[in-house]
Amino acid sequence: MGSYDVIVIGGGTAGCAAAYSAGMAGLKVLLLEKSIHLGGAITSGLVVPVMNCGENQINTEFYDALTAELKLLGGQVTYLGNQGWFNPELTKIALDNLMRKASVEALFSVHIQDVILKDKQIKALLISNEMLSVYNDKLENKDKKLSVSIGAKYYVDATGNCEIGKLCNCEFLEKKEEQQPVSLRFIMGGVDVKRFGEWLKSYDKDRNVTTVEEIDGEVHLSTACTWDKGTKWALAPLFREAERKGVIESQDWNYFQVFTVAGMPSAVAFNCPRIIDHTDTSNVKNVSKALQDGRQSILRLAEFCKTYFPGFENAYVSNIADILGVRVSRRIKGKYVYGVEDIVSGKKFEHPVVVSNYPIDVHSNKKDKSTLRVVKDYELPLESLMSTDVDNLYVAGRCISTDFMAQGAIRVQASCFAMGVGLGKYLAELEKHHNSFEE
């Protein structure tokens, strides 16, 4: 069956959690990542903080371990009662450390060419030939291209877009009309955060939108504004004036959110721009246009901040995300298709991997059309992480078996951590029973 118990493809939030959990349980784990570091949305996408998902979460071992590791590195702060305010750069190092602790072998710059399938099981992955120097004892010749064959008993597709499931010709659930806008996050350095915080606190009195706190001698803050009219945004008049003057364009402020970053005392992170065109992330042309449009929008937003926000006079764009923030994409058909009615009803399951109360959060590219529905605790079943088409293929992350609206609630990082841990535990138990049966 191969030299590994588990191969995890995709070293993002869900993949790292699954690899760590399986490794800590004693399984031999290989983690394959196409980038040069782990972390996915957190590191490549600059998606911080981890959103709060309630007091009753389960399978939090990885989240707690990552929090503790980042605290040691000076890259974590607890703000607004949320421990998940992480430093994206230091998260790369923290994840390396956690994989070593769990004896997980992580390989970077890995590209999967194909899978070898037989009797509804993956027998091996075909890896592109730049890996020949690592695994030169197992070579495959497919379509006259040399590849490396790496096998395992269990495979976890944590690629976000279910790339392994696609190679296996699995059935999917997504519909063409079900799209959400993408984002391209960025960070500005050189900000006088204390001055900005003082101005912000006096300018916006709504503490449900704007907060400013001093933690361990450093100022931390958060504020937001959208073009939706459902909320009276204090910053909206500034954006309207900037739009009239041509500093920004209308779409630049369709969604605007900023906050500080742990371990970066003179930096402010942006959860924007939200790109309302080119939402189909399965299309390379759309992705390319979204990236280009996003970078142009970042230039305009940076100029807006320098013009209208006290404390930004000497600020500059220091980081732009390497990947788009994708909210919805390909979703596999699993043994249980998790639906929005399961969330709303709070349905209980025999094998839950996630307990969360994160709202149903579905973004729209139209004004006043986004959904943010508050809900009580709900559970996600393990069966939504199991492929119906391939017996030893599991999924974790935003590509799990859900309907469109339910995915809008379950896609966030804390839930991805939990489903990864739950899956890792399940595979360890599966292997334990398998070994007991053989004995």
Side-chain angles (χ1 to χ4, degrees):
M1 291 292 293
S3 56
Y4 295 95
D5 296 314
V6 182
I7 295 179
V8 179
I9 307 95
T13 49
C16 283
Y20 175 84
S21 177
M24 292 296 285
L27 298 185
K28 187 175 182 183
V29 182
L30 176 65
L31 177 58
L32 301 178
E33 168 55 39
K34 68 179 181 180
S35 181
I36 61 169
H37 55 75
L38 302 175
I42 295 178
T43 53
S44 293
L46 304 180
V47 180
V48 289
V50 176
M51 301 305 292
N52 203 326
C53 288
E55 303 299 320
N56 300 313
Q57 296 176 69
I58 61 173
N59 292 324
T60 62
E61 293 92 329
F62 177 77
Y63 188 8
D64 294 338
L66 180 58
T67 300
E69 192 69 28
L70 277 163
K71 192 173 185 66
L72 289 174
L73 296 173
Q76 181 273 340
V77 70
T78 299
Y79 172 40
L80 302 177
N82 180 2
Q83 70 181 17
W85 293 81
F86 295 159
N87 179 303
E89 293 302 316
L90 293 177
T91 298
K92 298 173 184 177
I93 300 170
L95 290 171
D96 284 342
N97 294 347
L98 291 183
M99 294 308 118
R100 281 195 295 270
K101 288 180 181 180
S103 300
V104 172
E105 183 181 355
L107 296 178
F108 301 99
S109 299
V110 176
H111 302 280
I112 312 297
Q113 287 188 332
D114 209 342
V115 297
I116 297 175
L117 273 173
K118 186 179 181 182
D119 300 326
K120 289 190 68 177
Q121 291 218 342
I122 299 176
K123 298 299 181 182
L125 301 176
L126 298 184
I127 312 297
S128 55
N129 60 6
E130 65 258 31
M131 298 293 296
L132 290 177
S133 59
V134 180
Y135 291 98
N136 56 14
D137 57 332
K138 293 182 179 179
L139 302 183
E140 302 284 344
N141 192 332
K142 183 162 183 172
D143 298 329
K144 298 182 179 179
K145 292 181 181 178
L146 273 181
S147 301
V148 182
S149 169
I150 305 176
K153 298 173 185 175
Y154 314 107
Y155 297 82
V156 177
D157 186 336
T159 60
N161 205 27
C162 212
E163 298 296 345
I164 305 306
K166 182 183 177 184
L167 289 173
C168 293
N169 292 315
C170 291
E171 185 176 349
F172 294 104
L173 301 170
E174 76 276 2
K175 299 174 184 175
K176 190 172 183 180
E177 69 275 11
E178 296 177 336
Q179 302 288 346
Q180 293 191 58
V182 297
S183 296
L184 186 66
R185 293 198 181 201
F186 69 106
I187 296 175
M188 292 187 74
V191 180
D192 185 338
V193 174
K194 184 177 181 181
R195 184 170 175 232
F196 177 49
E198 289 171 350
W199 171 82
L200 193 58
K201 192 161 53 173
S202 63
Y203 187 85
D204 184 6
K205 305 297 184 183
D206 187 347
R207 293 296 163 259
N208 292 317
V209 175
T210 296
T211 58
V212 183
E213 289 183 19
E214 186 171 314
I215 304 170
D216 297 330
E218 289 186 4
V219 174
H220 288 275
L221 56 85
S222 176
T223 193
C225 180
T226 78
W227 66 1
D228 296 327
K229 297 175 182 177
T231 302
K232 188 176 180 181
W233 304 103
L235 296 177
L238 300 180
F239 282 101
R240 291 193 191 99
E241 180 186 322
E243 185 182 341
R244 284 195 304 270
K245 291 183 175 180
V247 177
I248 58 172
E249 297 178 3
S250 175
Q251 68 266 23
D252 293 334
W253 68 286
N254 74 81
Y255 188 91
F256 180 86
Q257 186 181 33
V258 299
F259 33 78
T260 42
V261 185
M264 293 185 178
S266 61
V268 171
F270 292 71
N271 179 14
C272 54
R274 184 176 67 177
I275 303 152
I276 57 176
D277 299 319
H278 322 303
T279 57
D280 182 4
T281 56
S282 65
N283 183 301
V284 172
K285 283 188 176 181
N286 279 344
V287 170
S288 302
K289 289 177 180 177
L291 287 165
Q292 291 169 329
D293 286 358
R295 287 191 279 266
Q296 291 300 313
S297 185
I298 286 169
L299 272 181
R300 294 189 292 269
L301 286 169
E303 186 61 31
F304 166 84
C305 291
K306 292 173 71 172
T307 303
Y308 288 90
F309 289 166
F312 273 80
E313 292 84 357
N314 298 313
Y316 54 91
V317 175
S318 58
N319 304 68
I320 298 177
D322 295 328
I323 59 173
L324 292 169
V326 177
R327 295 180 171 92
V328 64
S329 53
R330 192 180 291 122
R331 304 187 308 283
I332 203 166
K333 183 178 180 181
K335 292 188 177 179
Y336 185 86
V337 179
Y338 189 66
V340 67
E341 66 279 358
D342 296 322
I343 291 178
V344 174
S345 68
K347 182 177 178 178
K348 302 295 183 184
F349 293 92
E350 185 178 356
H351 305 293
V353 289
V354 174
V355 174
S356 174
N357 67 3
Y358 188 77
I360 300 167
D361 181 16
V362 178
H363 291 237
S364 173
N365 59 357
K366 296 179 175 62
K367 288 184 180 181
D368 301 303
K369 294 297 183 182
S370 294
T371 299
L372 189 65
R373 182 177 178 182
V374 175
V375 291
K376 295 180 180 179
D377 281 356
Y378 50 86
E379 297 181 353
L380 175 75
L382 175 67
E383 289 77 8
S384 292
L385 279 61
M386 298 176 170
S387 165
T388 56
D389 298 307
V390 181
D391 293 337
N392 63 343
L393 175 63
Y394 303 84
V395 292
R398 70 171 185 264
C399 59
I400 64 169
S401 178
T402 70
D403 69 17
F404 175 67
M405 295 300 290
Q407 198 266 358
I410 210 71
R411 62 180 166 79
V412 294
Q413 291 167 349
S415 294
C416 289
F417 290 153
M419 66 179 78
V421 170
L423 184 55
K425 289 178 180 177
Y426 169 74
L427 294 177
E429 282 297 311
L430 201 62
E431 184 61 8
K432 181 179 174 183
H433 288 308
H434 175 75
N435 290 338
S436 298
F437 178 77
E438 285 190 341
E439 290 173 3

